[in-house]
Amino acid sequence: MGILEVLFLIKLLRFMNAAADCSISACGIDDVPVRFPFRLQGNQPRNCGYPGFDLSCNNRRTTVLKLPHSGDFLVRDIDYRTQQIQLYDKDNCLPKRLLQLNLSGSPFAAVFHQNYTFLSCPTQFVMSRFPIIDCLSNSTISVLATSSTFLVTLLSSLCDVISTLLIPASWPVQHYEGFSSKLSEDLLLTWFSPDCHQCETHGGTCGFHGNASQEILCSNNSHRGNSRQVGILFVSIGIPVLVCACGMAISAYLMIWHARRNAVSNTQRNTATATVSPRPTILVMGLDESTIESFDKLVLGESKRLPGPNGSTCAICLSEYNSKETLRMIPECKHCFHADCVDEWLRMNGTCPVCRKSPSPAHVTSSNISH
Ligand SMILES: *[C@@H]1O[C@H](CO)[C@@H](O)[C@H](O)[C@H]1NC(C)=O
Ligand SMILES: *[C@@H]1O[C@H](CO)[C@@H](O)[C@H](O)[C@H]1NC(C)=O
Ligand SMILES: *[C@@H]1O[C@H](CO)[C@@H](O)[C@H](O)[C@H]1NC(C)=O
Ligand SMILES: *[C@@H]1O[C@H](CO)[C@@H](O)[C@H](O)[C@H]1NC(C)=O
Ligand SMILES: *[C@@H]1O[C@H](CO)[C@@H](O)[C@H](O)[C@H]1NC(C)=O
């Protein structure tokens, strides 16, 4: 008997147990553990879950959350302590779902918000230059999403605006962001009621107090259910070899469980502690055409080597430099950008987008740039 069979037995006993009380249930062996305030329809009685928190299993044994106005999402994880649920799209096209997301009528809310503009651009213009949303694009139309009003202005002559929406973000909102590829990451939502944060933090488990009551009770003995299942397993099989295998299986299961919990809480901790430092608003007029034109231009060679303190991506549009592209360099600080990106920028802001130095026309250099 292998570890998998033993795991399956534990799971089976768990399911049998769950039918009788409100202990943890799950759709598949490795799937998200479901308990209060969530309830697995068909596995746990109605009074095991809070209204609006019903989950179900699909035919591939994955946990599903149905949102009243936005349809089904698959559940990647639930953090009962921070009260966050991580969702994804079964067709792997979360941006498409975000365009239609409406959380009203559900107990869930966004952790962070961000305004995004979705743009529809001719594919031949976009080329490999910008991160496009593949699942919304085809050979003629490329769809991009950005939170930067500057980029929307920059592209407005070439692209159509599909829509601008306030969408849930799972990352802290930055002052300036280019085209986001983060929209394809999981959707992170939180809930505020029932509030079991304190209870879970102290190792307790929330549940309804009794059968018909809507009162929430924090109970202390969350591990009683588990030890009973293991007990049944020992009594019903009782073979020493199996005892050994069982021990290994449980520790393996616990290791996976802990690893997964830690991974989730780490992500959340990182998200939570990432600092948002709003940049001071500097009111500077843009530069005139002749000043902008006086700054050095360079055409990237095959080596894509750049002078000065420059990386391989343009800090304005966040796309990588390709050979033969025309860049412009700000004389004061030698920072380079795509010429069309920085020209538009300098018409609106008189400072370097990276270091905020103000280039002065008197300081134009005529250095020879090797590329
Ligand atoms: C969400 O759906 C509700 C109910 O259909 C509707 O009243 C509300 O206007 C919708 N909200 C948005 C932002 O579309
Ligand atoms: C999103 O845009 C709307 C309308 O332009 C604005 O009122 C709102 O404050 C913005 N929200 C955020 C989080 O940027
Ligand atoms: C690409 O998508 C656009 C808009 O969704 C559609 O109008 C167009 O016909 C599509 N083109 C091809 C080649 O599929
Ligand atoms: C669990 O029980 C102990 C002792 O009865 C108590 O001190 C502790 O506060 C309880 N924790 C919760 C979360 O109820
Ligand atoms: C809980 O309610 C169900 C039906 O609503 C009833 O059959 C059962 O006896 C109740 N259990 C307790 C412990 O009150």
Side-chain angles (χ1 to χ4, degrees):
M1 199 179 216
I3 284 179
L4 273 180
E5 281 92 336
V6 177
L7 275 176
F8 182 70
L9 254 172
I10 294 175
K11 210 77 199 184
L12 195 73
L13 288 163
R14 218 168 231 231
F15 278 141
M16 285 158 52
N17 211 35
D21 58 39
C22 289
S23 59
I24 302 171
S25 189
C27 286
I29 282 174
D30 266 341
D31 218 49
V32 189
V34 178
R35 58 182 176 81
F36 191 89
F38 293 91
R39 169 182 89 102
L40 209 50
Q41 280 171 322
N43 266 321
Q44 294 164 316
R46 190 167 292 278
N47 68 326
C48 291
Y50 204 76
F53 287 83
D54 282 358
L55 302 176
S56 55
C57 299
N58 67 8
N59 51 14
R60 307 175 89 181
R61 297 233 207 135
T62 308
T63 323
V64 178
L65 172 71
K66 190 184 188 70
L67 292 173
H69 299 296
S70 310
D72 290 353
F73 282 89
L74 303 183
V75 180
R76 179 100 59 201
D77 220 318
I78 298 172
D79 191 318
Y80 292 93
R81 201 173 293 192
T82 57
Q83 306 206 151
Q84 289 180 346
I85 184 167
Q86 205 177 327
L87 304 171
Y88 63 107
D89 177 38
K90 75 170 165 36
D91 298 324
N92 242 329
C93 192
L94 196 60
K96 188 176 179 183
R97 307 293 304 276
L98 292 174
L99 275 167
Q100 297 149 9
L101 192 73
N102 183 345
L103 293 175
S104 71
S106 87
F108 304 104
V111 179
F112 301 102
H113 274 113
Q114 178 76 303
N115 276 326
Y116 265 94
T117 299
F118 287 76
L119 297 159
S120 159
C121 309
T123 295
Q124 87 256 22
F125 162 70
V126 176
M127 292 183 290
S128 60
R129 189 104 162 241
F130 305 114
I132 66 167
I133 300 171
D134 283 318
C135 62
L136 291 175
S137 306
N138 61 26
S139 55
T140 52
I141 296 294
S142 290
V143 175
L144 310 165
T146 178
S147 56
S148 151
T149 46
F150 168 71
L151 284 176
V152 175
T153 315
L154 182 68
L155 293 172
S156 57
S157 55
L158 291 145
C159 307
D160 294 328
V161 171
I162 302 173
S163 70
T164 299
L165 320 151
L166 192 61
I167 58 175
S170 48
W171 60 94
V173 176
Q174 300 294 324
H175 174 70
Y176 176 78
E177 233 176 55
F179 289 104
S180 186
S181 47
K182 287 181 180 168
L183 287 184
S184 302
E185 288 175 9
D186 287 357
L187 172 61
L188 190 68
L189 299 177
T190 186
W191 68 91
F192 302 109
S193 173
D195 186 1
C196 294
H197 172 73
Q198 286 293 331
C199 175
E200 297 275 346
T201 306
H202 293 102
T205 318
C206 267
F208 279 127
H209 180 46
N211 218 351
S213 156
Q214 292 296 299
E215 192 192 333
I216 308 281
L217 188 75
C218 179
S219 64
N220 231 334
N221 43 9
S222 58
H223 298 297
R224 184 193 45 147
N226 284 352
S227 55
R228 187 165 61 197
Q229 287 149 18
V230 175
I232 296 169
L233 190 68
F234 278 127
V235 170
S236 57
I237 303 162
I239 306 164
V241 175
L242 193 68
V243 173
C244 188
C246 185
M248 282 164 59
I250 292 170
S251 54
Y253 184 80
L254 286 177
M255 273 165 65
I256 295 166
W257 165 252
H258 276 287
R260 192 157 62 164
R261 273 191 83 90
N262 287 344
V264 172
S265 58
N266 281 345
T267 332
Q268 269 142 11
R269 207 169 303 131
N270 290 345
T271 315
T273 54
T275 49
V276 186
S277 47
R279 293 190 191 156
T281 317
I282 307 167
L283 281 176
V284 187
M285 299 295 285
L287 304 180
D288 59 47
E289 288 304 317
S290 62
T291 310
I292 295 172
E293 273 308 316
S294 70
F295 297 162
D296 276 336
K297 261 187 179 175
L298 60 141
V299 177
L300 267 190
E302 286 304 322
S303 69
K304 301 193 209 170
R305 203 150 48 87
L306 285 173
N310 290 293
S312 58
T313 52
C314 169
I316 297 178
C317 66
L318 301 186
S319 56
E320 254 184 65
Y321 296 125
N322 293 314
S323 48
K324 302 205 179 64
E325 282 183 327
T326 306
L327 312 191
R328 198 187 286 285
M329 185 168 79
I330 303 212
E332 297 278 324
C333 54
K334 300 211 173 342
H335 282 127
C336 293
F337 309 91
H338 287 119
D340 45 1
C341 292
V342 78
D343 290 3
E344 188 65 40
W345 175 279
L346 290 174
R347 280 178 206 124
M348 293 157 71
N349 302 271
T351 57
C352 169
V354 169
C355 62
R356 305 271 162 176
K357 276 204 178 124
S358 305
S360 63
H363 209 259
V364 179
T365 57
S366 54
S367 57
N368 285 326
I369 294 152
S370 57
H371 34 95

